[in-house]
Amino acid sequence: MKKLHIAIVGGSLAGLFAGIMLQQAGHDVRIYERSRSGLAGRGAGLVGQSDLLHILRLIGCEHVARVGVIAKERIYLNHDGSIAQTLNMPQTQISWDVLFETVASRIAPETYFLGRDVVDVLDGGSGAELTFGDGTRETADLVIGADGLGSVVRGAVNLKDNQNCYSGYVAWRGLIPETSVPAAAALLLDRFAFHVRPGVHALGYLVPGSKGEMSRGSRRYNWVWYRKVPPSELAGTFTDLDQRTHPFSLPRGGLSNDRLEAFRADARQMLPPQFALAVEAEPSPSIQGIFDYEAPRMIGRSIVLIGDAAFVARPHTAMGVSKAAGDIMALSNCLASAIDLPTALQRFEADRIVVGREIVAYGRQLGASAI
């Protein structure tokens, strides 16, 4: 197959992985990210599963998987803060920040564009056309939709079934310096801690510092509390101090003092005291909506969907980044081995659509038992 002019919509990890792999294969690649300020500093920690470790080896970034914090065991806390169960399950949480910055350093900088929001994509038999927010247009032999939960590219492939399905609950999230965890909550450190009972699910673990620091006192504590929110209240939950309603989440800094204090009061009443203290130490929690999505199709004639643009799995699976990595390695292999683009895309979809469906189903199963 001839080398292609490829446009990637979305510049987070999925878009970066795709860009690097396909640039290495000799294709002419451009990556368009809607954010004007970049994406560094937006993540906490993630588990380095096999597909992620494999793609890091392929792009020469394997060393970043060693920048992590080991949770030596899992503990389950009773409501009163006592330990109900201890499991010997060591696990390493690597730093999203360091992973992103390291991977981004491997992309040709002149091919990565910030502040380029794609608002429409037209699929064609001999290429696809992108329309940007400023009205400019560009054509490409292949458009890769790596634009996540709020994918614009998704709608060009799946004209009808392209909306995320709300799960009925959200994740409140905090990320605080390790030194901000009160001494009375020190039990949470160096282990993966959970509190699970009907209607309540909270967890927390250490991750490296924002620059990959792994020494004691330089790390960060990441906590998550899943809470049910009726669909009728979701828009209000995602409405910030300026009365702007965000579609899928409420970013840090969006809570009023009244809402923050009510949330902390709920934590004191509903969570073990150690978790309540960790919650109180976070000045600006964020709220993430939990959604499902399964793309009926992953390909058009000149378009392909990867990562969360194709399948949104709940975070309980810890497979979001690894799922995207698997998509990209499969796509790269199909483009390298097929005689033409249509054949490559058909092989890719046949390989990955079943995987995506299985991961989404697994996320629903875990969610049903989580809250």
Side-chain angles (χ1 to χ4, degrees):
M1 189 193 311
K2 69 180 180 69
K3 300 305 180 184
L4 303 173
H5 172 50
I6 299 174
I8 299 174
V9 182
S12 192
L13 282 169
L16 286 172
F17 285 144
I20 296 166
M21 289 283 291
L22 297 175
Q23 285 179 355
Q24 287 179 347
H27 297 288
D28 174 25
V29 181
R30 301 288 184 273
I31 301 174
Y32 300 107
E33 167 53 44
R34 75 187 104 189
S35 169
R36 297 186 180 278
S37 57
L39 302 176
R42 295 197 178 190
L46 69 159
V47 179
Q49 302 198 31
S50 59
D51 278 344
L52 173 59
L53 300 179
H54 189 187
I55 203 169
L56 290 175
R57 284 195 294 273
L58 292 175
I59 65 174
C61 293
E62 187 177 12
H63 62 283
V64 78
R66 294 190 290 271
V67 181
V69 175
I70 298 175
K72 60 186 180 183
E73 61 190 11
R74 291 192 174 196
I75 60 171
Y76 289 80
L77 298 179
N78 293 312
H79 191 202
D80 64 3
S82 61
I83 297 177
Q85 186 179 20
T86 301
L87 299 176
N88 183 24
M89 294 178 63
Q91 179 176 303
T92 301
Q93 291 77 235
I94 64 177
S95 168
W96 193 97
D97 302 340
V98 176
L99 176 62
F100 178 84
E101 291 176 12
T102 304
V103 172
S105 71
R106 305 288 294 184
I107 202 77
E110 69 277 9
T111 65
Y112 187 95
F113 300 90
L114 289 173
R116 295 289 279 160
D117 57 324
V118 174
V119 296
D120 193 26
V121 184
L122 293 177
D123 194 12
S126 58
E129 182 181 75
L130 304 174
T131 301
F132 296 91
D134 60 5
T136 59
R137 298 180 180 181
E138 179 176 326
T139 59
D141 298 318
L142 175 65
V143 169
I144 298 176
D147 48 344
L149 183 68
S151 176
V152 171
V153 183
R154 181 193 288 171
V157 175
N158 300 288
L159 298 179
K160 294 182 179 179
D161 298 326
N162 56 41
Q163 298 300 308
N164 304 294
C165 179
Y166 174 53
S167 68
Y169 62 99
V170 303
W172 287 69
R173 294 183 174 273
L175 184 64
I176 57 177
E178 179 182 8
T179 52
S180 295
V181 177
L187 176 69
L188 300 175
L189 303 179
D190 294 310
R191 47 183 55 86
F192 212 127
F194 293 85
H195 176 61
V196 183
R197 58 188 172 89
V200 181
H201 186 109
L203 58 98
Y205 49 86
L206 284 168
V207 300
S210 61
K211 300 300 181 183
E213 300 92 340
M214 293 185 287
S215 60
R216 187 175 298 275
S218 300
R219 303 168 297 183
R220 295 171 294 173
Y221 190 73
N222 180 72
W223 57 259
V224 183
W225 182 10
Y226 295 106
R227 307 189 71 189
K228 291 183 178 180
V229 173
S232 60
E233 297 178 14
L234 194 62
T237 300
F238 294 157
T239 299
D240 65 21
L241 287 167
D242 298 322
Q243 297 305 304
R244 290 180 302 169
T245 300
H246 302 258
F248 306 116
S249 63
L250 184 71
R252 292 172 68 94
L255 282 175
S256 67
N257 286 333
D258 288 347
R259 289 182 67 188
L260 180 57
E261 287 307 316
F263 174 65
R264 289 172 172 172
D266 286 347
R268 289 190 291 271
Q269 178 184 355
M270 300 173 68
L271 297 181
Q274 298 94 331
F275 273 131
L277 288 167
V279 165
E280 186 129 17
E282 169 57 78
S284 301
S286 61
I287 310 174
Q288 172 195 7
I290 307 301
F291 295 88
D292 301 310
Y293 177 72
E294 297 180 65
R297 301 188 64 216
M298 296 181 75
I299 62 170
R301 290 178 290 177
S302 301
I303 300 175
V304 61
L305 304 176
I306 63 173
D308 285 353
F311 290 94
V312 177
R314 301 189 194 183
H316 318 292
T317 66
M319 296 178 72
V321 176
S322 287
K323 173 170 62 68
D327 289 345
I328 293 148
M329 290 186 290
L331 178 61
S332 179
N333 289 336
C334 291
L335 290 174
S337 61
I339 58 172
D340 55 30
L341 182 59
T343 302
L345 295 184
Q346 289 163 12
R347 288 179 181 173
F348 166 79
E349 183 180 61
D351 181 15
R352 295 302 294 179
I353 199 165
V354 174
V355 175
R357 288 170 179 163
E358 289 176 347
I359 294 174
V360 172
Y362 179 50
R364 286 196 183 103
Q365 177 186 340
L366 293 178
S369 63
I371 185 168

